Amino acid sequence: MATTTDADRYRKHAVRSFLIGVAVFLGGAISTIVASGKNGGIIWWGGMLFGVVLFVRAFTSYRDYRKAGGERLAPPLTAVAALGLVGCLAVGGFAVTKLVEAESLSPTAGSCWDGADGDQLALVPCSSGHDFKATQVVKDENDCPADAVAWVEGDGSDRLCLVEDGA
Protein backbone atom coordinates (compact mmCIF):
# COMPACT_ATOMS: atom_id res chain seq x y z
CA MET A 1 0.00 0.00 0.00
CA ALA A 2 1.30 3.41 -0.91
CA THR A 3 2.11 5.92 1.78
CA THR A 4 1.46 9.64 1.90
CA THR A 5 5.08 10.25 0.95
CA ASP A 6 4.55 8.19 -2.21
CA ALA A 7 1.53 10.29 -3.07
CA ASP A 8 3.48 13.49 -2.45
CA ARG A 9 6.33 12.25 -4.61
CA TYR A 10 3.92 11.41 -7.45
CA ARG A 11 2.22 14.81 -7.13
CA LYS A 12 5.52 16.71 -7.22
CA HIS A 13 6.69 14.70 -10.21
CA ALA A 14 3.41 15.34 -12.04
CA VAL A 15 3.57 19.10 -11.45
CA ARG A 16 7.25 19.34 -12.35
CA SER A 17 6.85 17.25 -15.52
CA PHE A 18 3.82 19.26 -16.60
CA LEU A 19 5.45 22.66 -16.12
CA ILE A 20 8.68 21.63 -17.80
CA GLY A 21 6.63 20.03 -20.60
CA VAL A 22 4.79 23.30 -21.21
CA ALA A 23 8.06 25.24 -21.32
CA VAL A 24 9.84 22.77 -23.62
CA PHE A 25 6.85 22.37 -25.94
CA LEU A 26 6.40 26.13 -26.26
CA GLY A 27 10.13 26.57 -26.86
CA GLY A 28 9.96 24.08 -29.74
CA ALA A 29 6.81 25.63 -31.18
CA ILE A 30 8.12 29.20 -30.98
CA SER A 31 11.42 28.19 -32.61
CA THR A 32 9.39 26.66 -35.45
CA ILE A 33 7.38 29.88 -35.87
CA VAL A 34 10.54 32.00 -35.92
CA ALA A 35 12.36 29.65 -38.31
CA SER A 36 9.39 29.67 -40.69
CA GLY A 37 9.87 33.41 -41.24
CA LYS A 38 11.74 34.94 -44.14
CA ASN A 39 15.07 34.88 -42.26
CA GLY A 40 14.91 31.14 -41.57
CA GLY A 41 16.47 29.48 -38.55
CA ILE A 42 16.62 26.20 -36.72
CA ILE A 43 13.40 24.29 -36.28
CA TRP A 44 13.37 22.46 -32.97
CA TRP A 45 10.83 19.68 -33.55
CA GLY A 46 12.46 17.77 -30.70
CA GLY A 47 11.21 20.40 -28.26
CA MET A 48 7.60 19.76 -29.18
CA LEU A 49 8.08 15.99 -29.17
CA PHE A 50 9.89 16.00 -25.82
CA GLY A 51 7.17 18.29 -24.44
CA VAL A 52 4.57 15.67 -25.39
CA VAL A 53 6.66 12.99 -23.64
CA LEU A 54 6.76 15.15 -20.51
CA PHE A 55 2.96 15.62 -20.67
CA VAL A 56 2.49 11.84 -20.81
CA ARG A 57 4.82 11.44 -17.83
CA ALA A 58 2.92 14.13 -15.93
CA PHE A 59 -0.43 12.44 -16.53
CA THR A 60 0.99 9.05 -15.60
CA SER A 61 2.37 10.49 -12.35
CA TYR A 62 -0.95 12.18 -11.64
CA ARG A 63 -2.74 8.85 -12.15
CA ASP A 64 -0.27 7.19 -9.75
CA TYR A 65 -0.84 10.04 -7.27
CA ARG A 66 -4.60 9.39 -7.38
CA LYS A 67 -4.08 5.63 -6.97
CA ALA A 68 -1.89 6.33 -3.94
CA GLY A 69 -4.78 8.12 -2.26
CA GLY A 70 -4.13 11.69 -3.38
CA GLU A 71 -7.02 14.09 -3.75
CA ARG A 72 -8.33 15.35 -7.05
CA LEU A 73 -6.97 18.62 -8.33
CA ALA A 74 -8.95 21.61 -7.17
CA PRO A 75 -11.08 23.16 -9.96
CA PRO A 76 -8.81 26.23 -10.32
CA LEU A 77 -5.75 23.98 -10.79
CA THR A 78 -7.64 21.83 -13.29
CA ALA A 79 -8.48 25.01 -15.22
CA VAL A 80 -4.83 26.12 -15.18
CA ALA A 81 -3.72 22.71 -16.48
CA ALA A 82 -6.39 22.78 -19.19
CA LEU A 83 -5.36 26.30 -20.23
CA GLY A 84 -1.73 25.17 -20.40
CA LEU A 85 -2.64 22.29 -22.70
CA VAL A 86 -4.94 24.40 -24.86
CA GLY A 87 -2.24 27.07 -25.12
CA CYS A 88 0.32 24.49 -26.20
CA LEU A 89 -2.07 23.05 -28.78
CA ALA A 90 -2.86 26.52 -30.16
CA VAL A 91 0.78 27.62 -30.41
CA GLY A 92 1.81 24.22 -31.80
CA GLY A 93 -0.95 24.32 -34.41
CA PHE A 94 0.05 27.85 -35.42
CA ALA A 95 3.69 26.74 -35.68
CA VAL A 96 2.82 23.85 -37.97
CA THR A 97 0.62 26.13 -40.10
CA LYS A 98 3.44 28.68 -40.51
CA LEU A 99 5.91 25.93 -41.38
CA VAL A 100 3.62 24.39 -44.01
CA GLU A 101 2.96 27.85 -45.46
CA ALA A 102 6.69 28.59 -45.68
CA GLU A 103 7.48 25.20 -47.21
CA SER A 104 4.80 25.57 -49.88
CA LEU A 105 6.24 28.79 -51.32
CA SER A 106 7.44 28.59 -54.90
CA PRO A 107 8.83 31.23 -57.25
CA THR A 108 5.94 31.43 -59.73
CA ALA A 109 3.66 34.11 -61.13
CA GLY A 110 1.57 35.40 -58.24
CA SER A 111 4.33 34.85 -55.65
CA CYS A 112 5.24 37.66 -53.28
CA TRP A 113 8.67 39.08 -52.50
CA ASP A 114 10.02 41.29 -49.73
CA GLY A 115 12.99 43.60 -50.12
CA ALA A 116 13.49 44.49 -46.46
CA ASP A 117 17.03 43.07 -46.52
CA GLY A 118 18.26 45.72 -48.95
CA ASP A 119 20.03 44.00 -51.85
CA GLN A 120 18.31 40.64 -51.49
CA LEU A 121 14.67 39.86 -52.18
CA ALA A 122 13.07 37.10 -50.15
CA LEU A 123 10.18 34.91 -51.24
CA VAL A 124 7.46 35.40 -48.59
CA PRO A 125 3.83 34.35 -48.12
CA CYS A 126 1.45 36.84 -49.73
CA SER A 127 -0.47 36.93 -46.44
CA SER A 128 2.51 38.66 -44.80
CA GLY A 129 4.00 42.07 -45.58
CA HIS A 130 5.74 42.24 -48.94
CA ASP A 131 7.02 44.83 -51.41
CA PHE A 132 6.65 43.09 -54.77
CA LYS A 133 4.45 40.60 -56.57
CA ALA A 134 5.51 38.42 -59.49
CA THR A 135 3.18 39.02 -62.42
CA GLN A 136 4.72 37.05 -65.24
CA VAL A 137 7.26 34.30 -65.97
CA VAL A 138 9.57 35.02 -68.91
CA LYS A 139 12.73 33.50 -70.33
CA ASP A 140 14.54 36.84 -70.66
CA GLU A 141 14.25 39.82 -68.30
CA ASN A 142 13.88 42.12 -71.34
CA ASP A 143 10.50 40.47 -72.00
CA CYS A 144 9.06 41.83 -68.76
CA PRO A 145 6.15 44.28 -69.19
CA ALA A 146 6.71 48.03 -68.85
CA ASP A 147 5.15 48.19 -65.36
CA ALA A 148 7.69 45.69 -63.98
CA VAL A 149 10.17 47.40 -61.65
CA ALA A 150 12.47 44.42 -61.14
CA TRP A 151 12.96 40.75 -61.88
CA VAL A 152 14.23 37.72 -59.98
CA GLU A 153 15.40 34.31 -61.03
CA GLY A 154 12.71 31.68 -60.98
CA ASP A 155 12.96 27.95 -61.55
CA GLY A 156 15.67 26.96 -64.00
CA SER A 157 16.31 29.71 -66.53
CA ASP A 158 12.97 31.47 -65.94
CA ARG A 159 12.76 35.07 -64.78
CA LEU A 160 9.90 36.49 -62.72
CA CYS A 161 8.79 40.03 -63.51
CA LEU A 162 7.98 41.99 -60.35
CA VAL A 163 5.65 44.92 -59.81
CA GLU A 164 5.37 47.00 -56.67
CA ASP A 165 2.71 45.65 -54.35
CA GLY A 166 3.22 47.19 -50.91
CA ALA A 167 0.76 44.94 -49.07
Side-chain angles (χ1 to χ4, degrees), residues 9 15 18 25 34 39 42 47 51 53 56 59-61 79 82 105 107-108 115 118 122 128 138 141-142 144 152 166:
R9 185 173 48 86
V15 169
F18 182 78
F25 186 91
V34 171
N39 294 328
I42 297 173
V53 169
V56 170
F59 291 120
T60 302
S61 292
L105 295 176
T108 59
S128 67
V138 295
E141 58 267 17
N142 295 322
C144 285
V152 293

Side-chain angles (χ1 to χ4, degrees), residues 38 98 101 112 114 123-131 165-167:
K38 64 182 175 184
K98 293 303 266 184
E101 184 180 71
C112 296
D114 186 40
L123 180 61
V124 296
C126 289
S127 61
S128 67
H130 58 276
D131 298 322
D165 186 43

